[in-house]
Amino acid sequence: MHILDTAGAFERRLDSALSLSRGITFSEYRLLRSLATADSQGLTRVALANAVSLTPSAVTRALKPLEKLGYVETSKNKRDARQSLASLTSGGRELLSDADGVLQDFYNDVGAAAGRENLESLLGLMARLRA
């Protein structure tokens, strides 16, 4: 149970740091990060949901404010008009770059508290467990 408690605490700290400095949550950051790695056409909501481990309806709810703020845009899929594709705007790329700095600061703080070598070992273990 400790690993889940720790993961939850990290997510709350990231939510707080991103919200205070950039006005987004960690979940919204993850959506933006996934869109940044997509091809130029964007991602469907189902593909985006799979990429960030959310439901498609949660992705829809999360994308609406990001779209209203001009960070994300949606368009109809050229192959299937029933689907829409979400993509990052230039404003979204700028926001993501700023948010990356917030996450780097968080990573540096955790590394300072835990020790860089311990953090690298933990990240390696987590990558193996994720695979």
Side-chain angles (χ1 to χ4, degrees), residues 3-125:
I3 193 166
L4 297 177
D5 294 338
T6 302
F10 275 13
E11 187 160 349
R12 286 187 300 277
R13 286 180 61 192
L14 287 167
D15 272 343
S16 178
L18 287 167
S19 178
L20 289 172
S21 63
R22 299 296 170 246
I24 60 172
T25 65
F26 183 57
S27 290
E28 291 169 331
Y29 169 83
R30 292 177 61 218
L31 289 170
L32 295 172
R33 170 64 39 222
S34 292
L35 288 172
T37 61
D39 65 27
S40 62
Q41 290 189 6
L43 291 173
T44 65
R45 292 177 197 283
V46 171
L48 195 50
N50 289 334
V52 298
S53 301
L54 292 173
T55 64
S57 61
V59 167
T60 298
R61 285 190 306 274
L63 286 179
K64 289 217 182 276
L66 294 172
E67 191 171 5
K68 285 182 182 176
L69 292 168
Y71 300 131
V72 172
E73 61 187 5
T74 58
S75 60
K76 293 288 183 193
N77 187 335
K78 292 176 184 165
R79 291 188 207 146
D80 185 350
R82 296 170 296 175
Q83 290 184 336
S84 62
L85 296 168
S87 58
L88 211 53
T89 65
S90 60
R93 290 188 192 289
E94 187 176 325
L95 172 65
L96 184 59
S97 177
D98 291 345
D100 283 341
V102 173
L103 264 65
Q104 185 62 50
D105 290 345
F106 177 82
Y107 178 80
N108 291 340
D109 290 347
V110 171
R116 187 66 53 193
E117 187 175 304
N118 289 335
L119 181 59
E120 294 300 328
S121 294
L122 176 61
L123 291 174
L125 175 60

